Every structure is written in structure tokens, then in C-alpha cells.
């Protein structure tokens, strides 16, 4: 077995080294054979399908953009070869008697419009339910059931052990069952939830008086279709924390509140399943955090800014109810995309503030008043003398 990595063998194969391509095929023959056997029942065609897959891969090698992803690319080719074979096998043998009885007409193999609509609705509902799983569980269940990888292949692709993959599938199935049961029971009048993501934070000056103002922040959410945006006003601390997260900035090297809470949830063995902005009353948004604690789903009310910040720190799906989007959503112009100008302006303001504050602070630190103020022992003695008093005997 060659010790060369996939991308090395791919590059050599592209240069005409057939031996390197042969090593790649030997390496992934078990996977390719396994896919063919699962998809096509008739063993008589397995060898031919394997040969066709190898030929297609060799002729298409220049179309592989990322040579490190040869395995998944080869899997896709194998699957497509099998699907094409199965389509060809669906041609039915019609007897002459049948042709005479029907005037030569063939039975339609196409589903009716109602059947197509029903299948699309079922697929949409299932994928929407799967999107409510945690990121790790969602990845695992899509690879295993939707992409048709077996357990070992799924574990390899995710870089985890087979036992870990089994555990994720078990939790995902259990959670899906709960979600689908809940969906079935509450189909009537259920709020339609729209997946969204945070795309920017905009800093605004809120005028308190002619000579006084303070910073306020607008959180910008965008739906998955990139057609509508929702704006939520939040406080300065929460706005900066989310802006830092979008910019991948570690401000102080220690976990901020939202990061700390995310780590607490993880340490407790619970997981954050989804965050919903589900209501708007008197211009106030309301949010719900959905937790999975040992397989039991819990809901916790939260401020949207806290819930969204927590979702961003845990890579958790974020949703807004359709009613809220209809109430306060803004249409995004065609061919327009987020440019993150808001967080760029916040970062520029912070950089400028940091530079001016640094110069000013150095001057303050040199004064006697500053030294007295930050003399821990003296200030501590003043506090102790103020809040403690002798006990009367």
C-alpha cells in the first residue's frame, strides 16, 4: 500500500502516471464496490458498473478542483453511474397483446402534478426538520441517510470514531422523532419558522440630549433566500460582542458572557438545538432557546440579543417566525448581497478610540491622583472601614 496521500497520487495521475491512478483505485475499491452493491441488486452488473466508474473517473480527473477530496468525488461519480443504470433499467417490456389492447399507448411513468407537489412538500418538511438538529448531528444524519454513506464511511468523512458516529445517529433519530411528533400534533396553526443568519451589526448614535448621546446597535438578520432582512435594536455590550464574533476578534483573551454560557451548556452535557425569534409585541422582540438535555427538549425564554449571541457561539440554527418577518421585514434589492460595512465601521471606530485613549491614559497614569486612586491597599482599607462596624458588646 502506497504511503502517498490522495492529492499526491491525483497530481501524479494528471501527469499521466497510470500506476498512481491504479493505487487510488485500489485504495477506494472497497468503498466503490460497497456503493454499487447497495444501489444495484443484480450482481451480474456489478463488475461492469465498477469498470464504468473507473473509466469515468479517469477521463474526468481534470474536473476535480480539490485533489484532497478525491474520495468524496469518486463516491459521487459511482453514485451517478449507478443512478443512470437504474434509470435505463426502468424501461418496461410491454407485451404485444397489451399494445393491441391500448392502441400502442404506453403507461405513463411520470408522477402526477399532485404526486410531485406532495413529494416536494414532504421533502421540504423533512429537510426543515433536519435543519433543527445540532450541526454535528445534522451532518452525520445527512451523510448516512441522504448521501448513503455507510457507518464507517460517515465516521471517516467526519474524522470521528464509528462509536461516536453511532451515538450521533442515535441522538439525531431520537430528536427527529420528537420533532416530527410535535409537528404532527401541532400542524394546525403552527408558526412557520424561517431560517436566518446574522450578516452585520450597525452602530448608531442615540441622542439623549443636545449635548449627550450614546451608542446603540442594530443587528441585521437575512433569510436563507437572501430576499428579506430583519433589523433588531440591541444594547452596546451585546452589539459589540456579536460584532467581535462576526469579525473573529478576541477582545480580551478571556471568554465573554455569551461564550462562557455556551461553554457551561457544553460542559453540562446539554446541547443548544435552535434559537427562535418568535414574537413581536409593542415593538419588543421575544426569543426562545431550545435545549436538549439528555434527550429531553426544554424551552427557555430569552432576550433576542442574548439568544442570538449564544447561537453564534455554538453554531446553532437561528429562525424567525414568518409573522415577524411579515411585520418588520425589509425587501433586499435584486442582485444585492451583504457587504459587512457595519462591522467594518465599528472596527475602525474601535481602532481610533483605542489609539486616542492610549495616549490620554498614559498622561493620566503619570499623575499622583491616579496612583492614589489605584492604590489597592489604601482603597481597600477605606471600603472596609465604611461597610464594617464594631459589634456592640
Amino acid at each position: 500500500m502506497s504511503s502517498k496521500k490522495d492529492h499526491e497520487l491525483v497530481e501524479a495521475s494528471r501527469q499521466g502516471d497510470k500506476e498512481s491512478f491504479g493505487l487510488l483505485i485500489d485504495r477506494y475499491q472497497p468503498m466503490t464496490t460497497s456503493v454499487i452493491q447497495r444501489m444495484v441488486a443484480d450482481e451480474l452488473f456489478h463488475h461492469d458498473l465498477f469498470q464504468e466508474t473507473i473509466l469515468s473517473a479517469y477521463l474526468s480527473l481534470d474536473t476535480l478542483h480539490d485533489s484532497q477530496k478525491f474520495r468524496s468525488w469518486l463516491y459521487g461519480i459511482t453514485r451517478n453511474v449507478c443512478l443512470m443504470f437504474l434509470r435505463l433499467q426502468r424501461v418496461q417490456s410491454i407485451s404485444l397483446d397489451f399494445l393491441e389492447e391500448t392502441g400502442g399507448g404506453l403507461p405513463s411513468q411520470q408522477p402526477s402534478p399532485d404526486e410531485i407537489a406532495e413529494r416536494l412538500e414532504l421533502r421540504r418538511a423533512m429537510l426543515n426538520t433536519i435543519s433543527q438538529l445540532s450541526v454535528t448531528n445534522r451532518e452525520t444524519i445527512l451523510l448516512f441517510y441522504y448521501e448513503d454513506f455507510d457507518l464507517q464511511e460517515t465516521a471517516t468523512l467526519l474524522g470521528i470514531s464509528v462509536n461516536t458516529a453511532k451515538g450521533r445517529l442515535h441522538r439525531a433519530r431520537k430528536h427527529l422523532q420528537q420533532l416530527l411528533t410535535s409537528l404532527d400534533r401541532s400542524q394546525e396553526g403552527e408558526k412557520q419558522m424561517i431560517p436566518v443568519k446574522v450578516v452585520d451589526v450597525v452602530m448608531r448614535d442615540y441622542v439623549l440630549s443636545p449635548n449627550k448621546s450614546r451608542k446603540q446597535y442594530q443587528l441585521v438578520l437575512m433569510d436563507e433566500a437572501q430576499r428579506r432582512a430583519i433589523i433588531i435594536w440591541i444594547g452596546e455590550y451585546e452589539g459589540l460582542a456579536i460584532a467581535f464574533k462576526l469579525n473573529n476578534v478576541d477582545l480580551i483573551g478571556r471568554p465573554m458572557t455569551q461564550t462562557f454560557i455556551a461553554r457551561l451548556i457544553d460542559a453540562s452535557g446539554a446541547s443548544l438545538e435552535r434559537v427562535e425569534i418568535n414574537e413581536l409585541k409593542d415593538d419588543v422582540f421575544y426569543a426562545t432557546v431550545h435545549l436538549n438535555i439528555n434527550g429531553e427538549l426544554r424551552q427557555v425564554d430569552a432576550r433576542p440579543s442574548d439568544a442570538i449571541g449564544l447561537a453564534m457561539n455554538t453554531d446553532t440554527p437561528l429562525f424567525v417566525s414568518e409573522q415577524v418577518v411579515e411585520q418588520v421585514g425589509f425587501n433586499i434589492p435584486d442582485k444585492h448581497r451583504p457587504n459587512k460595512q457595519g462591522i467594518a465601521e465599528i472596527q475602525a471606530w474601535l481602532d481610533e478610540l483605542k489609539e486616542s485613549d492610549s495616549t490620554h491614559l498614559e498622561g493620566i497614569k503619570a499623575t499622583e491622583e491616579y496612583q492614589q486612586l489605584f492604590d489597592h491597599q489604601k482603597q481597600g482599607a477605606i471600603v472596609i472601614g465604611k461597610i464594617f462596624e464594631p459589634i456592640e458588646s
Side-chain angles (χ1 to χ4, degrees):
M1 180 66 69
S2 173
S3 61
K4 288 186 178 180
K5 296 182 179 179
D6 284 0
H7 68 92
E8 294 174 326
L9 293 174
V10 168
E11 295 306 324
S13 300
R14 284 173 169 166
Q15 301 302 318
D17 186 350
K18 295 182 179 180
E19 184 179 350
S20 292
F21 186 75
L23 290 172
L24 280 170
I25 298 308
D26 289 342
R27 182 174 294 176
Y28 293 114
Q29 181 176 355
M31 179 201 74
T32 307
T33 303
S34 175
V35 173
I36 293 172
Q37 290 173 346
R38 288 201 309 271
M39 296 187 68
V40 179
D42 196 334
E43 296 181 6
L44 291 175
F45 296 100
H46 288 176
H47 179 72
D48 290 343
L49 290 171
F50 178 78
Q51 293 297 324
E52 185 176 346
T53 297
I54 301 312
L55 179 60
S56 296
Y58 186 74
L59 295 176
S60 307
L61 204 56
D62 288 339
T63 67
L64 175 57
H65 299 299
D66 187 348
S67 57
Q68 294 184 348
K69 296 182 178 179
F70 177 83
R71 184 183 189 282
S72 56
W73 178 77
L74 180 62
Y75 167 84
I77 289 179
T78 308
R79 193 167 183 271
N80 287 335
V81 167
C82 291
L83 287 174
M84 182 62 70
F85 171 80
L86 292 172
R87 291 190 189 103
L88 292 174
Q89 294 303 305
R90 290 189 187 121
V91 178
Q92 294 185 352
S93 299
I94 308 298
S95 68
L96 289 175
D97 290 339
F98 179 83
L99 291 175
E100 291 175 359
E101 292 172 4
T102 60
L106 295 176
S108 173
Q109 298 300 307
Q110 299 298 323
S112 68
D114 288 342
E115 289 175 328
I116 293 174
E118 184 178 349
R119 291 177 188 177
L120 288 175
E121 177 60 25
L122 180 61
R123 182 178 183 274
R124 185 202 64 78
M126 179 58 72
L127 289 178
N128 183 58
T129 305
I130 290 174
S131 72
Q132 300 177 38
L133 300 172
S134 65
V135 175
T136 53
N137 288 347
R138 184 168 68 246
E139 263 187 335
T140 309
I141 207 162
L142 285 175
L143 283 173
F144 187 75
Y145 289 107
Y146 190 73
E147 296 294 343
D148 204 29
F149 283 105
D150 64 25
L151 197 59
Q152 180 62 62
E153 293 166 352
T154 299
T156 302
L157 284 172
L158 293 175
I160 58 178
S161 68
V162 171
N163 285 336
T164 301
K166 284 182 180 178
R168 288 184 183 180
L169 284 172
H170 174 74
R171 291 191 296 272
R173 285 194 295 263
K174 188 172 182 180
H175 190 195
L176 275 176
Q177 184 179 16
Q178 293 170 332
L179 289 172
L180 290 170
T181 301
S182 174
L183 178 67
D184 184 59
R185 290 176 179 173
S186 60
Q187 196 70 35
E188 296 283 337
E190 181 192 20
K191 291 181 180 178
Q192 177 67 36
M193 305 305 295
I194 298 174
V196 298
K197 64 178 180 179
V198 180
V199 294
D200 211 342
V201 181
V202 178
M203 181 175 64
R204 305 294 297 272
D205 284 318
Y206 179 68
V207 178
L208 299 173
S209 66
N211 299 319
K212 188 176 181 181
S213 66
R214 69 179 181 187
K215 302 293 183 185
Q216 290 285 337
Y217 293 78
Q218 292 175 303
L219 189 61
V220 184
L221 309 175
M222 181 178 70
D223 69 0
E224 65 175 353
Q226 300 186 6
R227 302 300 302 161
R228 289 183 292 183
I230 303 96
I231 295 175
I232 301 177
W233 285 85
I234 60 178
E236 182 173 14
Y237 168 81
E238 295 84 359
L240 285 175
I242 293 175
F244 293 149
K245 190 66 180 177
L246 285 175
N247 259 341
N248 296 315
V249 173
D250 185 1
L251 182 64
I252 55 178
R254 293 185 295 172
M256 300 181 77
T257 303
Q258 294 163 353
T259 306
F260 172 63
I261 295 174
R263 292 179 183 178
L264 279 180
I265 292 174
D266 183 61
S268 69
S271 62
L272 197 62
E273 297 295 326
R274 59 188 278 143
V275 166
E276 295 178 353
I277 312 298
N278 46 28
E279 206 163 5
L280 176 64
K281 290 182 180 179
D282 300 324
D283 294 327
V284 177
F285 291 91
Y286 293 83
T288 303
V289 173
H290 293 252
L291 288 169
N292 187 328
I293 305 174
N294 296 325
E296 182 180 353
L297 298 182
R298 301 281 186 88
Q299 297 181 10
V300 180
D301 293 333
R303 295 189 308 167
S305 55
D306 294 332
I308 293 171
L310 190 57
M312 293 181 67
N313 275 278
T314 54
D315 196 19
T316 297
L318 179 60
F319 298 85
V320 176
S321 73
E322 188 173 27
Q323 292 91 328
V324 170
V325 175
E326 290 296 330
Q327 282 180 268
V328 295
F330 295 87
N331 290 329
I332 300 173
D334 289 341
K335 298 182 180 179
H336 281 63
R337 295 294 180 266
N339 57 17
K340 295 189 176 181
Q341 181 178 338
I343 57 175
E345 291 177 352
I346 290 173
Q347 189 61 51
W349 171 71
L350 288 172
D351 291 341
E352 181 182 348
L353 193 65
K354 182 179 179 181
E355 185 176 348
S356 61
D357 280 357
S358 177
T359 303
H360 184 57
L361 184 59
E362 289 303 318
I364 293 176
K365 285 183 176 180
T367 64
E368 183 179 351
E369 290 82 1
Y370 178 88
Q371 299 300 327
Q372 292 177 350
L373 181 62
F374 286 91
D375 188 323
H376 178 73
Q377 292 300 323
K378 288 183 179 180
Q379 293 301 317
I382 293 173
V383 171
I384 295 298
K386 180 177 180 179
I387 67 171
F388 289 92
E389 62 183 20
I391 300 174
E392 295 181 3
S393 56

